[in-house]
Amino acid sequence: MALRKRAASGTCPPAGPGRGGTRPAAAWTRAAGGEPPSGSRQFTAMAVPARSFSLLRSHLGRVPRLGGAAAPLLGAQGAASTTLRGFQSSGVRHDAIVISGTEMARQIQKEVQQGVEAWISLGNRRPHLSIVLVGDHPASHTYVRKKIRAASAVGICSEVILKPKDVSQEELLDITDQLNSDPRVSGILVQLPLPDHVDERTVCNGIAPEKDVDGFHIINIGRLCLDQHSLIPATASAVWEIIKRTGIETFGKNVVVAGRSKNVGMPIAMLLHTDGEHERPGGDATVTIAHRYTPKEQLKIHTQLADIVIVAAGIPKLITSDMIKEGAAVIDVGINYVHDPVTEKTKLVGDVDFEVVKKKAGFITPVPGGVGPVTVAMLLKNTLLAAQSIIY
């Protein structure tokens, strides 16, 4: 039996002359739909240095451009005099700025594409992403299709290795061993979840750390916890990127992370609480981690004090408007499929009661269209970093 079955969506862009490009100092894009949701304001992507707000926290309304000169940070309406919504005092109550993850992901993917072209123009092999997909879980197949499509858009080769749900753990480890030794392959990921008879930790540790673009290998997690450079789990990296590009202050702020999974909640907390002066700079925030055994009343006490609330619990409407303080930033990582009584169809929602919380928050991410697209973009960024051997 052949080891690899290439999915129809697996692609490798045709080789061609690459062209270099530098990252734009500040890139602003308009939401795809034209106007933001009714009653809300849409925030689009802007690249800012990770430490700029920590160093200039006494001048929150002004941030330095990447070129070095200070410039006022534009508010949602584009007025130069507007300071960050949610961290200012105003007598007028506005809905939260809705952060467009879709637009931010487009900007990141553009940067990745420029990086791929520059890498190839130097005579290097095109980055290649191999995805191992087990079983017929509909959501997993949907996620993989999105990753393959996004990889193709930025010029990264990709393939899907399909295996039935009764595949043995030993066969999966054989596959990762062969991919580890294949010089053509830059990055490897095994789409989770795996069937119950397979130990996910063992399989994730079977991927070479330098090709572990999901960032789940014990060495990558360990280096993350030690504030060292590593391939960072894509969802955690997406949350951190959203915070940095939106210009949300973390230095000395209170943060609540609702969810303690080793792939999402824990790495998010590590990124936000660690020292901003270390090898891998962190957010210098005071972080509280809540989980399934945190009583709802205690969770509410913590979230009401938080400047930033990050929710990755998998519970629809876990966070309601009475649980957050005025102007807080709310980042929803939740993925839940619920029945819509109006349409009689299944719809995707997060962990936040979006419509009511946006009336009180300063910033908020929607579901869908928030953290999800940025997660895929950060996976592609990890694939490029792996191909360039920047981390290892």
Side-chain angles (χ1 to χ4, degrees):
M1 178 185 296
L3 171 63
R4 301 186 187 180
K5 180 178 180 182
R6 186 181 295 273
S9 54
T11 60
C12 185
R19 65 179 187 274
T22 58
R23 182 173 178 174
W28 295 85
T29 53
R30 180 174 296 276
E35 295 299 322
S38 176
S40 301
R41 293 182 287 167
Q42 196 86 10
F43 191 92
T44 51
M46 185 185 74
V48 295
R51 290 285 288 167
S52 62
F53 289 94
S54 298
L55 298 175
L56 296 176
R57 58 189 180 275
S58 62
H59 304 283
L60 189 57
R62 298 180 66 81
V63 297
R65 297 184 189 275
L66 290 181
L73 177 65
L74 297 181
Q77 305 302 322
S81 61
T82 306
T83 56
L84 279 173
R85 173 68 189 85
F87 294 89
Q88 63 175 331
S89 176
S90 172
V92 180
R93 174 65 246 175
H94 297 288
D95 283 359
I97 293 172
V98 178
I99 302 170
S100 173
T102 302
E103 291 301 314
M104 191 176 291
R106 284 199 186 104
Q107 177 60 35
I108 296 168
Q109 288 181 213
K110 181 180 178 181
E111 295 163 11
V112 172
Q113 182 179 24
Q114 291 172 345
V116 169
E117 291 171 350
W119 178 247
I120 295 170
S121 71
L122 297 175
N124 296 295
R125 179 185 282 115
R126 185 177 293 276
H128 180 104
L129 174 63
S130 293
I131 302 176
V132 181
L133 177 58
V134 178
D136 52 7
H137 192 274
S140 291
H141 280 255
T142 299
Y143 299 148
V144 167
R145 281 195 299 271
K146 289 180 179 179
K147 293 170 184 176
I148 293 293
R149 191 160 51 242
S152 177
V154 301
I156 293 176
C157 293
S158 61
E159 68 176 341
V160 178
I161 302 170
L162 297 169
K163 289 294 169 182
K165 62 183 179 181
D166 59 352
V167 65
S168 68
Q169 180 170 298
E170 290 70 23
E171 184 175 354
L172 289 178
L173 292 173
D174 286 342
I175 293 172
T176 57
D177 283 345
Q178 293 190 42
L179 294 174
N180 288 338
S181 60
D182 187 343
R184 179 180 62 94
V185 176
S186 312
I188 307 165
L189 74 84
V190 177
Q191 183 66 41
L192 303 181
L194 292 174
D196 291 341
H197 67 277
V198 177
D199 182 65
E200 291 183 353
R201 173 51 50 201
T202 299
V203 173
C204 288
N205 285 340
I207 300 172
E210 66 272 16
K211 294 188 177 185
D212 170 38
V213 292
D214 253 345
F216 295 160
H217 191 283
I218 190 170
I219 290 179
N220 279 317
I221 292 295
R223 289 174 66 91
L224 173 67
C225 293
L226 293 174
D227 302 352
Q228 296 176 351
H229 292 302
S230 64
L231 291 170
I232 300 172
T235 302
S237 185
V239 171
W240 184 220
E241 197 75 8
I242 287 170
I243 288 172
K244 290 188 294 182
R245 289 183 182 243
T246 306
I248 297 170
E249 172 66 277
T250 60
F251 188 96
K253 299 297 183 179
N254 290 320
V255 178
V256 169
V257 178
R260 61 178 177 183
S261 74
K262 300 302 180 285
N263 298 340
V264 180
M266 185 275 289
I268 288 173
M270 294 303 303
L271 289 168
L272 285 168
H273 94 270
T274 48
D275 195 321
E277 299 293 346
H278 283 182
E279 176 185 320
R280 191 269 303 142
D284 284 316
T286 301
V287 179
T288 300
I289 303 177
H291 49 77
R292 72 179 68 183
Y293 299 120
T294 303
K296 187 71 176 284
E297 298 77 18
Q298 290 298 316
L299 175 62
K300 183 176 179 178
I301 291 172
H302 292 302
T303 55
Q304 285 177 334
L305 296 173
D307 303 293
I308 303 171
V309 178
I310 301 167
V311 202
I315 302 174
K317 295 187 177 182
L318 174 65
I319 301 299
T320 51
S321 62
D322 62 317
M323 297 177 68
I324 66 166
K325 71 178 184 180
E326 189 88 10
V330 181
I331 299 178
D332 193 347
V333 191
I335 299 175
N336 307 287
Y337 291 92
V338 300
H339 177 72
D340 188 337
V342 177
T343 64
E344 296 296 326
K345 296 180 180 179
T346 299
K347 68 176 182 178
L348 176 63
V349 299
D351 292 349
V352 176
D353 192 348
F354 181 82
E355 292 300 326
V356 296
V357 172
K358 77 175 183 181
K359 298 181 183 301
K360 192 174 181 181
F363 292 95
I364 192 168
T365 60
V367 176
V371 175
V374 183
T375 296
V376 174
M378 298 311 292
L379 171 69
L380 301 178
K381 185 174 182 179
N382 275 355
T383 304
L384 176 59
L385 290 174
Q388 296 171 328
S389 300
I390 288 178
I391 305 297
Y392 296 99

